[in-house]
């Protein structure tokens, strides 16, 4: 039993321990090129949260990881079979209900740890935060915590070298041989503003990628995945420890 994982602990332990920071991970269930499983985002974010919480716990942090939400926003993949979708309005309802429970339980700090590029929680936390102004609600995506260029050669953001390396480290038995993977080539928008990065439009996955990947995974390795995993989990652990010690009513510098 890991006492910092809610799904594994019990009421006897929970009644006796004080939780300062809850961690809610949110992944997705979607196609990841030809070689990675549909639950890639979930395997990754659950492992990252568990390892970061272990590091924080061993350093004295009173943290607790909640069960993962395995479905994310996949409105751009409606033409790809069985890419499971939750609308942002559904996510808002789920967040509201879960944060109500945390607030009622006296847990006033939440790290919403995202594992899927289609999820965007800023606006949702603004709305829920207005209902619970005494709570500290923080969100980050694991793939934004460190500079990926320090670990990987090929750029990408879906079933790419980074995700493939992570899965080779975490769940190698679920990764097909890399020669079976597509190259993850992406068709770029014809709109100049989108190409330059100052405008945005949701990608229609069946139009931009032949294999559902964005980024070439061929140079991936378990060794790269481990280095990245270690760096990311340390960053998240450091954030948890800071959240553990900070006072919600005194969270800003003079």
């Amino acid at each position: 039993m890991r006492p910092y994982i809610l799904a594994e602990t019990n009421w006897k332990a929970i009644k006796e321990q004080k939780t300062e920071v809850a961690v809610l991970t949110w992944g997705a269930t979607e196609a990841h090129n030809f070689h990675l499983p549909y639950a890639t985002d979930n395997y990754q974010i659950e492992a990252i949260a568990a390892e970061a919480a272990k590091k924080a716990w061993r350093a004295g942090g009173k943290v607790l990881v909640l069960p993962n939400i395995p479905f994310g926003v996949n409105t751009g993949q409606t033409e790809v079979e069985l890419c499971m979708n939750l609308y942002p309005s559904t996510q808002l309802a789920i967040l509201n209900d879960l944060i109500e429970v945390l607030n009622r339980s006296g847990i006033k700090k939440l790290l919403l740890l995202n594992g899927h590029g289609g999820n965007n929680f800023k606006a949702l936390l603004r709305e829920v935060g207005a209902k619970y102004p005494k709570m500290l609600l923080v969100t980050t995506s694991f793939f934004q915590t460190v500079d990926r260029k320090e670990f990987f050669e090929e750029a990408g953001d879906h079933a790419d070298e980074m995700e493939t390396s992570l899965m080779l480290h975490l769940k190698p038995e679920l990764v097909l041989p890399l020669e079976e993977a597509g190259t993850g080539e992406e068709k770029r928008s014809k709109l100049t503003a989108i190409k330059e990065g100052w405008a945005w439009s949701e990608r229609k996955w069946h139009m931009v990628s032949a294999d559902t990947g964005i980024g070439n995974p061929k140079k991936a390795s378990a060794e790269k995945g481990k280095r990245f995993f270690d760096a990311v989990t340390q960053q998240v652990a450091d954030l948890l420890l800071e959240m553990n010690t900070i006072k919600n009513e005194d969270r800003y510098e003079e």
Side-chain angles (χ1 to χ4, degrees):
M1 185 191 77
R2 293 175 291 180
Y4 47 86
I5 305 292
L6 179 59
E8 296 180 9
T9 192
N10 49 65
W11 194 32
K12 183 177 187 297
I14 289 296
K15 286 175 68 176
E16 296 174 354
Q17 70 189 46
K18 167 66 176 175
T19 298
E20 278 289 328
V21 187
V23 181
L24 177 62
T25 60
W26 208 308
T29 301
E30 59 179 353
H32 275 76
N33 202 317
F34 300 128
H35 63 295
L36 294 180
Y38 265 62
T40 289
D41 291 348
N42 300 318
Y43 288 122
Q44 292 175 158
I45 199 62
E46 287 184 290
I48 287 168
E51 181 67 15
K54 180 176 74 173
K55 292 177 178 179
W57 180 273
R58 289 179 173 176
K62 299 172 182 177
V63 302
L64 187 66
V65 180
L66 309 179
N68 178 58
I69 308 294
F71 306 122
V73 175
N74 283 91
T75 48
Q77 288 100 320
T78 53
E79 290 80 11
V80 182
E81 279 188 292
L82 294 176
C83 286
M84 309 306 291
N85 176 59
L86 290 183
Y87 291 111
S89 55
T90 307
Q91 289 187 312
L92 176 60
I94 293 170
L95 268 179
N96 183 76
D97 289 355
L98 297 182
I99 290 174
E100 179 184 319
V101 173
L102 294 178
N103 182 68
R104 188 166 63 241
S105 300
I107 301 172
K108 302 296 186 179
K109 301 170 185 176
L110 172 68
L111 174 61
L112 181 50
L113 188 58
N114 180 36
H116 169 59
N119 296 333
N120 190 331
F121 295 112
K122 289 183 180 180
L124 308 188
L125 289 183
R126 290 180 193 274
E127 184 162 343
V128 178
K131 294 179 65 175
Y132 301 99
K134 293 185 179 181
M135 293 196 70
L136 172 59
L137 305 175
V138 178
T139 187
T140 187
S141 299
F142 82 87
F143 40 82
Q144 296 176 330
T145 57
V146 298
D147 186 356
R148 285 182 285 179
K149 293 178 182 178
E150 296 181 6
F151 302 88
F152 307 109
E153 301 172 58
E154 298 283 350
D157 61 40
H158 186 71
D160 55 351
E161 183 185 354
M162 180 270 282
E163 284 202 300
T164 303
S165 294
L166 260 183
M167 288 299 287
L168 285 170
H169 169 55
L170 297 171
K171 291 285 184 180
E173 70 276 11
L174 298 181
V175 181
L176 293 179
L178 292 185
E179 54 264 26
E180 298 190 32
T183 57
E185 293 184 24
E186 178 186 10
K187 293 182 179 179
R188 300 288 184 175
S189 174
K190 294 180 179 179
L191 294 174
T192 301
I194 292 177
K195 286 190 287 188
E196 291 179 351
W198 55 275
W200 177 87
S201 177
E202 184 175 45
R203 289 179 292 193
K204 294 299 181 181
W205 231 252
H206 70 293
M207 294 182 181
V208 302
S209 174
D211 51 38
T212 76
I214 302 293
N216 194 338
K218 302 291 187 176
K219 295 181 180 179
S221 72
E223 292 74 22
K224 291 178 180 178
K226 184 181 187 308
R227 286 183 57 243
F228 183 68
F229 180 79
D230 290 344
V232 169
T233 55
Q234 189 58 59
Q235 281 281 79
V236 176
D238 290 344
L239 172 58
L240 289 173
L241 287 170
E242 280 196 298
M243 291 179 66
N244 180 77
T245 56
I246 202 168
K247 294 181 179 179
N248 288 7
E249 65 278 9
D250 187 29
R251 69 180 95 162
Y252 298 106
E253 296 179 348
E254 296 294 335

